[in-house]
Amino acid sequence: MKGKDRPGEEEVLQWLSEVSDPEIPALNVVEMGIVRNVKWNGDVVEVTITPTYSGCPAMRTIEEDIGEVLREKFLDKYTVITSLSPAWTTDWMTDDAREKLVKEGIAPPQKGSADKGLLMGKLRDVKCPRCGSFDTMMVSQFGSTACKSLYKCNQCLEPFDYFKCI
Amino acid sequence: MAKDQKKLEYVLRIADNALILGQRLSEWCGHGPVLEEDIALSNISLDYFGQASHLLKYAAEIEEAGNDEDHLAFHRDDTEFRNLLMVELPNGDYAFTIARQFFFSVWYQLFLEGLLKSQDEFLRGFAEKSLKEVKYHVQHASDWVIRMGDGTEESRRRIIQAFADLADFIPECFTTDELDLYAIQHGWGPDASHLKESWQKNVAAVCTEAGLEMPAEGWGQRGGKIGKHTEYLGFILAEMQYLQRAHPGAKW
């Protein structure tokens, strides 16, 4: 694809927001901050993605789903590049994405990169996505997926996932 | 022989720690003492596998032999692995697994912090990414060391025993051989012998809270970094590599 026929990088990015995160289907890979860049290199479109966690098992599916969307738009010449640096941070998630998380019953990560307080052994105030109470406790730092911790609300007594900051 | 055999060996040393310890921890999946710990160790294992996969992919590029990361994971023999002996030891009881996680991840965090200054762009990016994960591992292991040391008579007895059993495998983390010195000179990574002081300080802080003595200065079982392993590695590989050896290149 050449010249004025080919879509702009912004437009391609827009298409990619159709690709959902396989582990949190309510969110797409653009608002998650997984898609880092779209660039034309000659007649090849290069999509750069970065894993949330090194071992995120969704990466391969995401790569395939991106390819599928591009092929549907008749962009057959593409490459998906995985880049580790700069390392993904929860700060890249958009405000929209955070709101969607709450609707899914997942407490969104707090802003301000790594949970320094948590790493120093202090717990942060995490708001229950169900009843809004701050009277919550961490059950385990590791939850249903690599990116989440398991919490419990002491008010409504429901367990919930907290998207942990990295 | 790869064009840059030294770089290849150096990267394998980092990758194999993650791969073998990840495989060991995965053995707890379905066997953890409580569900949350089962999930925690499986998650940590997954982090290690991810790290190993990125590093082995890089190693395969350096090797220039047309292999990929899967080939390096599943088609090398025991003498070709470069991990520290500590990570291949059987899981033992939960205290042993936790003690090893604690000693190893405190060391690994310091090593990765040093790797942030690597002259090698890939290793720098790898360190930046992995550190975020390893900090959580350190926190998890530290919490449990404190809980066991300051827990019941039984938990205390077990964690003390685990410290004693691991003592001989700690010094290898701080050894530097000819290859390491070459790597340090070329700015690939930190001098492991310089990490000892910080390691002792970080371990001591947790031990104090747990009411535990520091692990004894063991005489230092070594050899993993040059491919001389304990009898346990072969059994790990037998299980880990079985499918790819029986059906090379199998995909699903």
Side-chain angles (χ1 to χ4, degrees):
Chain A
M1 218 175 261
K2 272 186 197 151
K4 59 180 175 16
D5 291 344
R6 75 180 194 190
E9 288 152 2
E10 278 300 317
E11 196 177 344
V12 175
L13 201 60
Q14 193 61 41
W15 296 342
L16 295 183
S17 59
E18 285 170 26
V19 177
S20 61
D21 181 325
E23 286 188 342
I24 315 170
L27 297 188
N28 70 61
V29 294
V30 177
E31 62 194 355
M32 277 289 288
I34 291 171
V35 174
R36 297 315 303 156
N37 195 25
V38 173
K39 200 177 83 183
W40 281 100
N41 186 0
D43 61 347
V44 179
V45 64
E46 280 179 0
V47 179
T48 306
I49 56 175
T50 193
T52 53
Y53 279 75
S54 297
C56 178
M59 287 311 278
R60 208 158 282 184
T61 311
I62 291 173
E63 212 176 300
E64 283 167 13
D65 291 350
I66 287 175
E68 203 173 310
V69 165
L70 295 178
R71 287 194 303 274
E72 268 172 23
K73 302 284 184 183
F74 305 105
L75 280 183
D76 291 321
K77 286 186 174 177
Y78 63 87
T79 50
V80 181
I81 302 163
T82 301
S83 168
L84 294 183
S85 181
W88 186 83
T89 155
T90 32
D91 289 347
W92 289 347
M93 291 174 76
T94 62
D95 289 339
D96 271 359
R98 284 164 202 269
E99 269 171 43
K100 285 186 194 168
L101 278 179
V102 178
K103 285 194 188 122
E104 288 294 299
I106 301 167
Q110 277 142 349
K111 285 193 176 176
S113 82
D115 260 347
K116 289 208 184 84
L118 181 66
L119 295 171
M120 302 303 282
K122 275 181 255 142
L123 295 182
R124 281 190 169 199
D125 298 328
V126 173
K127 190 173 164 184
C128 171
R130 205 173 286 267
C131 73
S133 169
F134 279 99
D135 184 12
T136 58
M137 62 177 284
M138 187 178 74
V139 177
S140 174
Q141 267 173 27
F142 298 90
S144 56
T145 65
C147 49
K148 290 181 238 141
S149 304
L150 191 58
Y151 269 71
K152 194 182 111 180
C153 175
N154 293 327
Q155 278 301 316
C156 69
L157 302 178
E158 290 290 332
F160 65 91
D161 275 333
Y162 165 58
F163 206 112
K164 65 189 175 200
C165 302
I166 60 166
Chain B
M1 275 302 240
K3 213 191 309 168
D4 197 346
Q5 185 69 20
K6 288 196 169 86
K7 179 63 109 13
L8 174 62
E9 294 262 336
Y10 186 74
V11 173
L12 287 179
R13 284 182 176 184
I14 311 169
D16 288 344
N17 282 337
L19 180 62
I20 298 301
L21 189 52
Q23 179 68 18
R24 269 295 184 222
L25 290 187
S26 74
E27 292 171 16
W28 277 107
C29 186
H31 300 273
V34 287
L35 182 61
E36 287 78 11
E37 280 308 287
D38 203 299
I39 294 170
L41 288 190
S42 302
N43 266 307
I44 295 171
S45 172
L46 187 61
D47 285 341
Y48 286 140
F49 283 143
Q51 293 168 13
S53 153
H54 292 301
L55 283 170
L56 289 177
K57 192 173 177 194
Y58 183 51
E61 282 166 22
I62 299 167
E63 193 186 24
E64 291 183 322
N67 293 325
D68 62 4
E69 61 270 38
D70 285 340
H71 185 96
L72 287 175
F74 299 123
H75 292 275
R76 275 182 299 149
D77 290 332
D78 54 352
T79 53
E80 293 167 285
F81 275 78
R82 296 290 178 262
N83 56 281
L84 297 168
L85 296 178
M86 181 193 281
V87 303
E88 70 198 42
L89 298 176
N91 285 332
D93 60 8
Y94 207 65
F96 185 90
T97 292
I98 288 295
R100 171 173 55 194
Q101 278 315 104
F102 176 54
F103 295 147
F104 177 77
S105 44
V106 169
W107 173 82
Y108 192 31
Q109 182 181 348
L110 293 168
F111 180 82
L112 290 173
E113 280 166 2
L115 209 58
L116 283 177
K117 291 174 225 122
S118 177
Q119 297 293 316
D120 181 297
E121 195 190 341
F122 175 85
L123 291 178
R124 223 165 41 230
F126 166 79
E128 189 195 345
K129 177 84 210 159
S130 307
L131 255 179
K132 293 184 174 222
E133 294 155 5
V134 172
K135 283 179 183 172
Y136 277 102
H137 304 172
V138 172
Q139 185 61 47
H140 170 260
S142 304
D143 283 350
W144 275 97
V145 167
I146 293 165
R147 220 159 142 172
M148 288 185 189
D150 195 21
T152 63
E153 213 172 291
E154 171 82 2
S155 70
R156 190 175 163 75
R157 181 183 64 75
R158 286 184 185 239
I159 194 79
I160 289 171
Q161 185 62 48
F163 273 29
D165 292 342
L166 279 159
D168 277 340
F169 295 91
I170 295 170
E172 189 183 21
C173 301
F174 307 109
T175 53
T176 45
D177 62 6
E178 214 174 300
L179 172 64
D180 289 318
L181 291 174
Y182 182 88
I184 296 160
Q185 275 165 12
H186 288 75
W188 295 344
D191 186 336
S193 64
H194 292 171
L195 305 179
K196 195 171 175 182
E197 209 177 304
S198 306
W199 184 87
Q200 283 174 328
K201 206 178 111 209
N202 296 356
V203 167
V206 174
C207 285
T208 307
E209 213 179 323
L212 293 168
E213 300 273 323
M214 288 284 285
E217 286 270 344
W219 70 277
Q221 189 79 347
R222 61 191 69 183
K225 285 161 73 170
I226 51 168
K228 291 182 180 169
H229 291 279
T230 66
E231 65 269 38
Y232 304 115
L233 184 64
F235 291 95
I236 300 178
L237 299 185
E239 184 169 16
M240 185 177 86
Q241 298 181 332
Y242 169 77
L243 196 134
Q244 284 297 330
R245 297 273 189 165
H247 307 279
K251 278 187 167 46
W252 61 89

